[in-house]
Amino acid sequence: MNGPRVAIVCGGRRHTYDDLDGSSRQVAAALLAGENDLREARIAFLAPPGFEYAAVQRGIWRAGGVAVPLATSHPPPELEYVIRDSAASVVVADPASTGPLAPIARAAGVRFAPVEGLLTVPAAPPDELPHLGPSRRAMIVYTSGTTARPKGVVSTHANIGAQVASLVEIWEWTPEDRLLLALPLHHLHGIINGLGSALAVRATCEMLPAFDALTVWDRFGSGEITVFTGVPAMYQRLIAAWEAAPPAARRAWSDGARRVRLMMSGSAALPLQTLARWREITGHTLLERYGMTEMCMALSNPLHGERRPGFVGTPVPGIEVRLVDENGRVVSDGTPGEIEVRGQAVFLEYWQRPADTHAAFRDGWFRTGDVAVREHGAYRLLGRTSVDIIKTGGFKVSALEIEEVVRTHPAIAECAIVGIADEQWGERVAVAVELQSAAALSLPELQDWAKARLAPYKVPRALRVVEALPRNAVGKILKPDVASLFGASDNASGPERRDLGGGKAQIAQ
Ligand code: MLC
Ligand code: AMP
């Protein structure tokens, strides 16, 4: 490539690596405000995918801070939770987010810094930016789990370095690559598999402010894109858009897509039907891999060689994987077990939750809560050890967290959240409720109320009002029985989907 290398393309603008270097240095200087090191201060930041996001992320790191990405889709209560839980000392926001974020920062007593100020107001550059030892904390990404509130997953610079190095190696990233990134940037799929990998090799990262099927097809049609990574729900939307398009557009899109060198799917189970249809439309057998916020990628189908449908491949470099029974004993091939992982890519800790961190590890191995079986050397995912984790649209959500919020609705006496199988979203959030006496509640009413409190993907999509929730003899709500309250009309599952949701996967005793 001639001329300065382009790092980021967004909104029709091209930003070079020199731009990124200069702007991130400027952000670092502004955040440091005369100090010489942020010493792992948490900097929460909200910016849509684009150059500013990358400049702020890098600026935080260069100043010695811990980057805490906020989600553009989250309502104020969720943003406030992350800002307070991470004990952020600065909140950075793009102009569109100033409205909700400035009052939250004020109420929390935290410095508020508009992105444009950080990028443009001259700040005295420090003589020297701090030295970033690999063991220093670099990022906190909030993830839902088996606790009621999301936990902050803390990664060090060494963790992130190991994650990126592994992906660059197995997927053969080069500076000539041009990634089309349509993922949100508050989760690792977008942050590491996307942005981080592209920037690590000085490739070009083309960012969309939000996923849009027609725009993605248009960019494939350009023939310029070499790498794409998404969640199954995105491929399903792309298939639907292709099927609705006129023949000439289909041809151009498919021809362009064939020129992409690598297309990947992950964050949720890829239905076999989607894999097959995508292959018909583009010639690509999607490379499916398995990962988690706590370690980024752990298993991947090969770049070269057979990609087995329904399998997530073998361990990526630097990650050891084992399957264990309920007592932590390693199981043999063909026997289902919980996935445990170990390696430099595995996170440091849950932010300020030593008991949760302790419970998440067994003899130095991180317990993922995912269940798999190894067959002929490759891993196949079977489900999860907890019914309270739901994967919807590639987002992990906690039934317990949603229940805690929904329970505060004035019409609701008690509730139970379950994930129900869904062709489009993998699983959909569903709620069964016992109402307060004389109260009434419709799904739209509940949704309107919930939208102000929960991220869109946590808002219940189906409602059953019951006299009494199904319980066992000691009064515990029986989630499988709750799930069975939602019948075929709530559940659009197709004939060939790989059903990983809606129930607890069994592992050997
Ligand atoms: C949105 N809608 C949903 C929904 N999400 N309905 C049911 N379940 C859901 N989960 C509804 C909206 O309310 C709206 O309804 C309609 O669908 C269209 O909404 P949208 O705003 O267009 O949806 P969109 O925001 O485009 O969401 C689709 C998506 C998104 C696929 C782009 O889900 C997404 O970005 N997913 C990626 C998640 C991700 O990055 N995960 C990585 C985690 S890291 P109405 O009625 O209002 O029109 C990880 C590790 C690893 O997992 O292995 O990668
Ligand atoms: P998160 O905690 O948001 O990072 O989500 C991680 C979870 O996504 C894992 O624990 C798995 O349950 C799920 N996941 C990731 N990749 C896949 C995949 N290829 N197939 C099925 N589930 C997946």
Side-chain angles (χ1 to χ4, degrees):
M1 192 192 288
N2 295 323
R5 188 164 281 286
V6 175
I8 286 165
V9 176
C10 190
R13 294 189 58 198
R14 297 149 65 87
H15 305 269
T16 64
Y17 275 92
D18 285 346
D19 295 336
L20 187 56
D21 183 54
S23 292
S24 59
R25 199 179 174 85
Q26 158 80 29
V27 169
L31 289 172
L32 283 165
E35 299 292 316
N36 59 8
D37 189 339
L38 288 179
R39 292 184 183 79
E40 297 187 6
R42 275 75 56 211
I43 314 295
F45 69 109
L46 186 56
F51 178 71
E52 286 75 16
Y53 179 102
V56 171
Q57 182 202 54
R58 293 209 148 188
I60 294 168
W61 285 340
R62 296 183 81 179
V66 175
V68 185
L70 299 169
T72 51
S73 62
H74 282 189
E78 295 225 31
L79 297 170
E80 179 170 2
Y81 172 76
V82 172
I83 289 165
R84 287 188 184 269
D85 188 79
S86 63
S89 52
V90 184
V91 173
V92 178
D94 76 307
S97 318
T98 297
L101 274 182
I104 294 175
R106 206 177 311 120
V110 175
R111 174 181 159 204
F112 180 76
V115 169
E116 65 277 20
L118 289 187
L119 285 169
T120 54
V121 177
D127 297 337
E128 215 179 321
L129 288 168
H131 170 70
L132 302 179
S135 61
R136 282 180 64 155
R137 292 174 183 81
M139 184 160 70
I140 305 182
V141 169
Y142 276 77
T143 186
S144 294
T146 47
T147 49
R149 303 309 305 268
K151 299 190 286 273
V153 175
V154 179
S155 307
T156 62
H157 287 280
N159 296 148
I160 293 174
Q163 293 165 0
V164 168
S166 154
L167 303 191
V168 164
E169 178 185 337
I170 51 170
W171 296 331
E172 298 182 5
W173 280 91
T174 78
E176 306 316 316
D177 274 318
R178 186 178 180 108
L179 167 75
L180 179 64
L181 183 60
L183 285 155
L185 288 177
H186 64 293
H187 282 304
L188 258 61
H189 194 163
I191 299 172
I192 303 291
N193 296 33
L195 183 65
S197 300
L199 295 185
V201 297
R202 295 174 76 80
T204 298
C205 181
E206 191 174 315
M207 293 158 114
L208 301 182
F211 174 79
D212 173 68
L214 293 181
T215 311
V216 170
W217 272 123
D218 185 53
R219 295 307 301 136
F220 288 162
S222 74
E224 293 173 346
I225 303 303
T226 68
V227 181
F228 182 76
T229 180
V231 300
M234 290 177 173
Y235 288 104
Q236 280 157 350
R237 287 214 186 160
L238 288 168
I239 290 169
W242 188 92
E243 282 169 349
R250 288 183 180 189
R251 257 192 315 277
W253 290 351
S254 293
D255 286 349
R258 274 191 202 93
R259 294 210 286 276
V260 177
R261 76 166 179 90
L262 173 60
M263 286 189 175
M264 296 176 276
S265 174
S267 307
L270 178 65
L272 298 179
Q273 228 173 341
T274 310
L275 177 100
R277 189 70 185 121
W278 192 254
R279 189 155 46 196
E280 284 164 9
I281 291 176
T282 65
H284 281 274
T285 300
L286 288 170
L287 184 154
E288 188 172 4
R289 83 312 174 276
Y290 156 80
M292 197 171 178
T293 307
E294 283 83 342
M295 74 281 186
C296 199
M297 296 302 104
L299 297 162
S300 174
N301 272 289
L303 178 64
H304 307 290
E306 191 199 2
R307 297 177 191 166
R308 286 169 70 189
F311 284 74
V312 287
T314 54
V316 305
I319 283 273
E320 287 176 84
V321 175
R322 68 179 193 182
L323 299 181
V324 299
D325 66 15
E326 282 193 342
N327 301 309
R329 284 183 303 247
V330 173
V331 300
S332 52
D333 278 11
T335 304
E338 181 181 353
I339 302 176
E340 292 189 345
V341 300
R342 185 166 78 168
Q344 241 209 339
V346 178
F347 75 122
L348 176 70
E349 62 187 356
Y350 292 117
W351 176 245
Q352 294 195 326
R353 290 174 180 261
D356 289 327
T357 307
H358 181 74
F361 286 86
R362 187 192 332 244
D363 305 329
W365 292 79
F366 170 63
R367 311 166 69 171
T368 63
D370 289 307
V371 177
V373 62
R374 203 167 79 130
E375 292 166 342
H376 309 294
Y379 290 79
R380 187 161 62 85
L381 293 171
L382 298 173
R384 291 180 284 273
T385 56
S386 167
V387 284
D388 287 321
I389 306 262
I390 300 168
K391 261 272 159 160
T392 179
F395 290 110
K396 186 196 250 185
V397 305
S398 155
L400 306 179
E401 176 192 350
I402 305 173
E403 282 162 5
E404 199 163 86
V405 174
V406 169
R407 221 174 265 129
T408 65
H409 188 289
I412 291 175
E414 183 51 290
C415 69
I417 295 282
V418 289
I420 52 172
D422 181 273
E423 190 180 12
Q424 187 181 3
W425 301 105
E427 287 179 87
R428 257 181 339 144
V429 174
V431 62
V433 300
E434 293 170 5
L435 292 180
Q436 302 282 6
S437 59
L441 185 66
S442 69
L443 180 60
E445 282 166 353
L446 175 62
Q447 289 178 325
D448 275 353
W449 178 88
K451 268 181 207 157
R453 296 162 172 83
L454 291 165
Y457 43 87
K458 298 177 187 170
V459 171
R461 306 287 159 171
L463 167 72
R464 285 283 176 278
V465 176
V466 292
E467 277 294 309
L469 290 164
R471 295 173 193 271
N472 67 11
V474 293
K476 186 171 182 287
I477 293 175
L478 296 165
K479 289 284 175 96
D481 292 8
V482 173
S484 62
L485 294 170
F486 298 87
S489 60
D490 296 300
N491 181 343
S493 79
E496 271 192 273
R497 59 180 306 285
R498 276 166 62 205
D499 188 0
L500 297 189
K504 184 173 151 88
Q506 297 298 318
I507 59 176
Q509 309 260 316

